[in-house]
Amino acid sequence: AYAVAKPIGLAVIGYPIWLMSSMKVFNFQNDLIIQIFFLIAAIAATFFILSDPKKYLPDIKGFAIKAVIFELASIILFGGYLYIRAFNSNLEGTEKFMDLAMLMSSGKTDFFPFFDFWAAGKDVNYYYYGFYLFSIPIKLSGIPYAVGYNLALGIILVQCFMISAAVIYRIIRSIPAAFFGAALVTFSGNL
């Protein structure tokens, strides 16, 4: 559950924001509303954790050790990805420029669905929820979308690796085997 908490948390927080902006209840450019949603989620998570942690985590010390290993591995993998990406951060090839355009369009729109950047005056008619979810932290952090795009690619890589490792660990109960299996899942198709 810990491995999927971040992506599911972003999706759960992002859905009501997207829904209200799709129904034109509020403008997506209103950062205060988005910040309030994140604050409410943080308060709810805090109360959930403080309610009775032994009920949800009978072995808190064991969980803490695994969480620290998990987070350290995430930081090392993310840093390694950013180091490699720093030498080739161009948006050349396949659909990278389209991905950046979708990310920018979803982050700069007032309401959803946003205007299609290829078909002027029309709404985008394909899947954009993932781009929208990554546009939220990029928008709130104030970093340029080109930088945020490269960071989002790193987050996708790290989450793929960590979720794979968590599933494999759940089955095998071996941290080295979980990381080896996750490396196979994440990198074997992308060599």
Side-chain angles (χ1 to χ4, degrees):
Y2 184 79
V4 297
K6 294 174 192 172
I8 288 178
L10 184 59
V12 167
I13 291 170
Y15 184 74
I17 297 169
W18 172 82
L19 187 63
M20 286 194 278
S21 185
S22 294
M23 294 188 309
K24 302 194 178 14
V25 172
F26 78 85
N27 187 333
F28 183 61
Q29 296 304 314
N30 188 344
D31 292 346
L32 178 64
I33 294 174
I34 297 170
Q35 291 166 353
I36 289 171
F37 271 100
F38 275 95
L39 180 64
I40 290 170
I43 291 170
T46 303
F47 280 119
F48 178 74
I49 290 169
L50 295 178
S51 63
D52 186 13
K54 293 196 184 246
K55 179 179 176 183
Y56 305 104
L57 300 170
D59 179 22
I60 294 174
K61 185 178 178 185
F63 172 77
I65 291 169
K66 290 174 190 167
V68 168
I69 291 170
F70 189 88
E71 291 302 327
L72 284 174
S74 295
I75 291 168
I76 291 168
L77 188 61
F78 189 64
Y81 169 81
L82 292 180
Y83 178 76
I84 292 169
R85 186 75 177 155
F87 291 105
N88 184 19
S89 60
N90 298 339
L91 296 177
E92 299 168 349
T94 61
E95 296 185 8
K96 291 179 184 173
F97 66 95
M98 284 282 295
D99 292 342
L100 178 60
M102 288 283 286
L103 183 67
M104 289 176 63
S105 294
S106 65
K108 293 182 176 184
T109 189
D110 292 330
F111 301 103
F112 293 102
F114 52 86
F115 290 117
D116 192 338
F117 44 89
W118 290 113
K122 306 257 186 205
D123 289 339
V124 70
N125 62 355
Y126 33 86
Y127 306 110
Y128 63 89
Y129 192 70
F131 294 105
Y132 153 71
L133 286 179
F134 279 111
S135 73
I136 294 172
I138 291 170
K139 177 183 177 55
L140 292 178
S141 66
I143 61 175
Y145 282 95
V147 174
Y149 172 76
N150 285 320
L151 295 174
L153 290 178
I155 291 169
I156 292 169
L157 176 112
V158 169
Q159 289 301 311
C160 175
F161 186 93
M162 290 302 163
I163 291 171
S164 299
V167 169
I168 294 168
Y169 177 78
R170 186 78 173 145
I171 296 168
I172 299 175
R173 298 286 186 196
S174 168
I175 291 175
F179 282 126
F180 179 72
L184 288 176
V185 169
T186 306
F187 300 115
S188 292
N190 294 315
L191 290 177

